[in-house]
Amino acid sequence: MFDVEMTKHLAELSKLTFTEEELKKVTAEMTDIIALMDRVKEIDPALETYALPAVRYDELRRDTARESLDTDKIVKNAKAVKDNAFAVPKVV
Amino acid sequence: MAIKELKQQLLTKKLGAAELCKSYLDKIEKADGEINSFITVCREEAMAAAEAAQAAIDSGSAGALAGIPLSIKDNICTMGVKTTCASKILEDFVPVYNATVMEKLNAAGAVMLGKTNMDEFAMGGSSQTSYFGGVHNPFDTSCVTGGSSGGAAASVAAGFCAAALGSDTGGSVRQPAAFCGVTGLKPTYGAVSRYGLIACASSLDQIGVLGDSAEDTAIVLDVIAGADENDGTTSQKASGNYTSMIGAGIRGKKIGIPKEFFGEGISDEVKEAVMKAARFYEEEGCTLVDVSMPSLKYAVSAYYLISSAEAASNLSRYDGIKYGYRTDYAESYQELIKKTRSEGFGDEVKRRILLGNYALCSGYYDAYYNNASRIRKKIIGEYAEIFEKCDVILTPTAPTTAYKIGQQENDPVKMYLADICTVTVNIAGLPAISTPCGYDAAGMPIGMSLVGKAFCESEIIGMCDAYEKAFKRQEVKR
């Protein structure tokens, strides 16, 4: 059963917030979506799951140091920068 | 004009690269107002690239796409050029590196005209969820283009570029190609590097090509395909030489017709047009083989669970700290992230994140994610069985033609179900190509898809080309 409490739980996991009005709308939409997703429960649970192809370590590139991107360029896309580092609200 | 002809005219100096580039840019400036296929037009950069291409042509060192003007979907990183994913959260993001496909296109002398509009984060089948406004179908501007590469498809259909790069996670190259009456090629998973493609669902995403013909898409694929040390999922099996089967003859080919793709929900006009194409192949000496994919009824649900689970994880990187939109004020670190994401993402993206976390969260993982994964394995097995009986598979690309803007984009379940014809190809990682095969009563294009075995792009390109040479395509009247 998908309800407003479940939407609140998922919003917390998803780092999203909704107003009370939005919560009702999203819960109604998600209820319909989950009903569609429920079709997968008809599959035989004894069947094997798909496994991504194993990583071929011999085909990977050598683990050697390469030149990094310039810090100046990287922080250019950030909205708050202090001392050439990303700035965030005080954590502790 | 076909890319082959453009190349010929450029190399023989009947056409100048700058002159060609300017003519496309002027056309975009004049006519894209009512289509909205571009988010960013790079006039200065494009003219500079065209002049560099001309210099290479003049010095006899022209690359494979020297001077050919292309559009690039706005989820492919372009160094120094804004890459937004059609989202508020990346509204002003300027990549500091190029995607591998861009490095390859640049090395081949291609000219990027601009970045095309799309569904936000490639999540959608209408190209109406863009933060920058929806895209309008050049055949009828009151209709959707399909999506998520709707801007790419519209840019080709409207004649704004010679070809376009898009991306395809569940049909996002093929379905808009069908809706806009152009050709769309989704290569095998691993044929083209995803390095620099902003991730939606990593095990399903693949960069593809949209163009006026199968041959045009093959010419561009030749440049962008191949193994890449920056993407461990690329394969050495991506062989290149994708035009090799063009004109090679199709007699004797076995074409699988899976009955489930012609069932309930597929419009009669679409079924009839695709079956007419099947009869064309029969007349050309191919054999039609009845095949079956019993698990198709589970495909949409399995696809949305897997893709949303991957997307929820991939999109967790958008926090307002490193790049992109950041909320005006937050008292704490957690509040900053939540407010940024809530203000920065659109409704469909939020629904997918919620669905993905639902599929992955404790108590639901086995019932949803694991069952979707079981279905994925079953569909791969069913494709393998089908390919024991035939060389390629023929299906409709979409259940309907392009519908009116506003008709169904606000109904998520209806939108998801409309992906029924395309998602299994991504689930199984196979190549497929969509090409127009008819027009409905309103004159909107109908698309058919040819699906091939993994890394057999050349075969479906050859089969598609044979059909295209016999089919009279209608051009956009503009």
Side-chain angles (χ1 to χ4, degrees), chain B residues 75-76 99-102 165-168 173 185-188 191-198 204-209 221 224:
Chain B
N75 60 350
I76 294 172
T100 295
V101 291
M102 292 313 301
L165 288 198
S167 68
D168 192 316
V173 160
L185 171 63
K186 182 256 170 211
T188 310
V192 179
S193 171
R194 292 179 295 109
Y195 179 73
L197 170 69
I198 296 180
L204 303 160
D205 294 342
Q206 185 60 207
I207 290 173
V209 189
L221 183 62
I224 63 169

Side-chain angles (χ1 to χ4, degrees), chain A residues 1-2 6-7 9-18 22 25-26 29-30 32-34 36-52 59-62 66 69 73-75 77-80 86-91, chain B residues 92-96 203 229-230 297-298 300-302 304-305 321-326 330-334 336-338 341-342 345 347 350-351 353-355 357-358 361 364 367-368 370-378 380 412-413 416-417:
Chain A
M1 175 66 187
F2 200 96
M6 176 56 83
T7 307
H9 173 60
L10 293 176
E12 185 60 33
L13 290 174
S14 307
K15 305 263 185 245
L16 292 170
T17 53
F18 295 103
E22 286 170 339
K25 183 173 173 281
V26 172
E29 289 167 345
M30 291 304 293
D32 292 343
I33 291 170
I34 299 303
L36 174 65
M37 299 305 133
D38 278 342
R39 284 188 193 174
V40 301
K41 293 180 180 170
E42 292 170 23
I43 200 78
D44 180 358
L47 288 173
E48 275 181 41
T49 57
Y50 170 75
L52 288 166
E59 286 181 3
L60 296 181
R61 68 169 187 256
R62 287 176 65 85
R66 297 198 293 188
L69 293 164
K73 278 189 188 169
I74 291 171
V75 297
N77 271 301
K79 294 288 184 294
F86 302 123
V88 297
K90 196 172 174 184
V91 177
Chain B
D92 55 6
F93 172 62
V94 179
V96 292
S203 78
E229 66 168 17
N230 286 329
K297 60 188 171 198
Y298 305 123
V300 165
S301 308
Y304 273 93
L305 288 164
I321 295 168
K322 304 177 291 295
Y323 41 73
Y325 175 78
R326 178 176 176 136
E331 291 205 354
S332 70
Y333 178 72
Q334 288 299 331
L336 170 77
I337 296 171
K338 283 183 185 172
R341 290 166 63 81
S342 301
F345 288 137
D347 291 344
K350 288 178 188 172
R351 281 192 289 270
I353 293 172
L354 294 175
L355 175 60
N357 281 327
Y358 183 67
C361 77
Y364 296 90
Y368 291 102
N370 266 348
N371 275 340
S373 180
R374 288 182 180 102
I375 292 163
R376 185 175 200 173
K377 190 167 168 88
K378 202 159 186 296
I380 292 169
V413 169
Y416 297 176
L417 286 168

Side-chain angles (χ1 to χ4, degrees), chain A residues 52-89:
Chain A
L52 288 166
V55 175
R56 292 282 307 270
Y57 288 97
D58 55 329
E59 286 181 3
L60 296 181
R61 68 169 187 256
R62 287 176 65 85
D63 185 17
T64 49
R66 297 198 293 188
E67 204 177 322
S68 297
L69 293 164
D70 283 346
T71 310
D72 289 354
K73 278 189 188 169
I74 291 171
V75 297
K76 249 187 190 170
N77 271 301
K79 294 288 184 294
V81 178
K82 196 177 173 189
D83 301 330
N84 230 13
F86 302 123
V88 297

